[in-house]
Structure formats: structure tokens, C-alpha cells
Amino acid sequence: MVEDGKTARGVVLHNIQADGTPIRSVVRPYAVTDFSTGRPYLDEAGAPLAVIQVRLLPRSRFLEIVRAHTHRVFDGRPGQWREEYDDEAATDAMTEEVIVDWTGLYGADVQPLACTPETKRALNYARKKDLINFALQTETVEAVEASFRAIA
């Protein structure tokens, strides 16, 4: 507890309200990387050539999408059922949800690539998984110094 009129130093978690409510509107830039080196593609000034704006994906929403793409199927033996997960469909659904926009991406015809549901789904599977993992890192932080006063 901070005394009235005192200053506290700490960290703001931008993905959650004080009451525990998640905030899904937080968007972070993802610099497109070369998978062979793990380094982003940079211009001469050191700025990323391509950036994808990614909306955070809370674990609860991730699990909703997984459940929506998991179905019980008959196993062929009496009374035997198993769950089957459609990873490709779930990955596409998550990718469509987390990508807000992008800049610096071009198609094979060297024309700017429009950020549409179709082009999001057409991204490389490894890229989509990397974006989803990035979106699951929901703890964006900022160091702060705040003053506290008692409410009259």
C-alpha cells in the first residue's frame, strides 16, 4: 500500500485492467524476420522493412478457438470416440484475428500485398505460428512513476 501523497515506481501491464479484465485492443509491431537467421529484415537506416501490427491474443480466446476447431469423431469401434483438432483451420482463424494490418509486404509480382483475410490465410504456416506465439505474449509493460492521493 502506498501512503497518501507518496510516489510509487512500478510497471504498467497494458493488457489488463486493475479488476483483472483483459484488454484485447493492445496492438504491437512485429518485425518480419528471416527464419534462417532469426533477424529482422532491415533497411540501410536499421529500420524494419516489413512490420505486421499484431493484436494480443489472451489465453482464454486462444482456448476458445482451439475448442471451436476440436471435434469428436467416431473411432470405428463401438462406443469409441476421439477428439480431432483441425490445426490448419484454427491457425487460420487465429491469424485472421491477430493481424490488424501490415506495411512493407509484397506479393510475388512485387506489388504491395493487401492485408485481407485471404492474404492472411495465404501466409506461410511457420510465419502464422510465429505471429500467434507473438500475440500470446500478452504482457506489454512500461515502467512508471505514479503519485497517489487519498480520495476525499
Side-chain angles (χ1 to χ4, degrees):
M1 175 74 70
V2 178
E3 293 179 37
D4 183 33
K6 298 289 184 177
T7 300
R9 296 182 205 285
V11 174
V12 174
L13 303 178
H14 290 286
N15 63 304
I16 191 165
Q17 298 283 7
D19 67 358
T21 307
I23 298 172
R24 295 193 50 232
S25 61
V26 176
V27 175
R28 294 174 34 206
Y30 165 95
V32 177
T33 58
D34 178 345
F35 282 134
S36 65
T37 65
R39 295 190 176 134
Y41 295 103
L42 303 175
D43 64 16
E44 300 81 28
L49 286 171
V51 176
I52 301 173
Q53 298 299 324
V54 177
R55 179 181 295 115
L56 299 183
L57 183 64
R59 181 168 168 70
S60 58
R61 180 65 184 134
F62 171 81
L63 293 174
E64 284 176 23
I65 295 170
V66 168
R67 279 191 299 274
H69 292 87
T70 302
H71 306 286
R72 289 186 66 197
V73 295
F74 183 62
D75 199 5
R77 294 174 285 166
Q80 298 296 312
W81 294 84
R82 61 181 165 81
E83 288 191 345
E84 196 169 273
Y85 173 61
D86 187 345
D87 181 63
E88 186 174 336
T91 298
D92 284 345
M94 288 180 213
T95 302
E96 285 184 50
E97 187 163 323
V98 302
I99 296 176
V100 176
D101 199 9
W102 58 51
T103 57
L105 291 181
Y106 294 86
D109 57 357
V110 196
Q111 296 298 313
L113 196 59
C115 185
T116 66
E118 294 78 22
T119 55
K120 291 175 187 180
R121 287 191 303 270
L123 292 173
N124 174 284
Y125 178 80
R127 178 75 58 205
K128 290 189 275 190
K129 285 297 194 180
D130 198 43
L131 285 161
I132 292 165
N133 286 332
F134 182 78
L136 285 167
Q137 299 170 11
T138 58
E139 199 169 85
T140 60
V141 298
E142 171 188 356
V144 295
E145 193 170 295
S147 296
F148 292 86
R149 290 185 291 145
I151 298 173

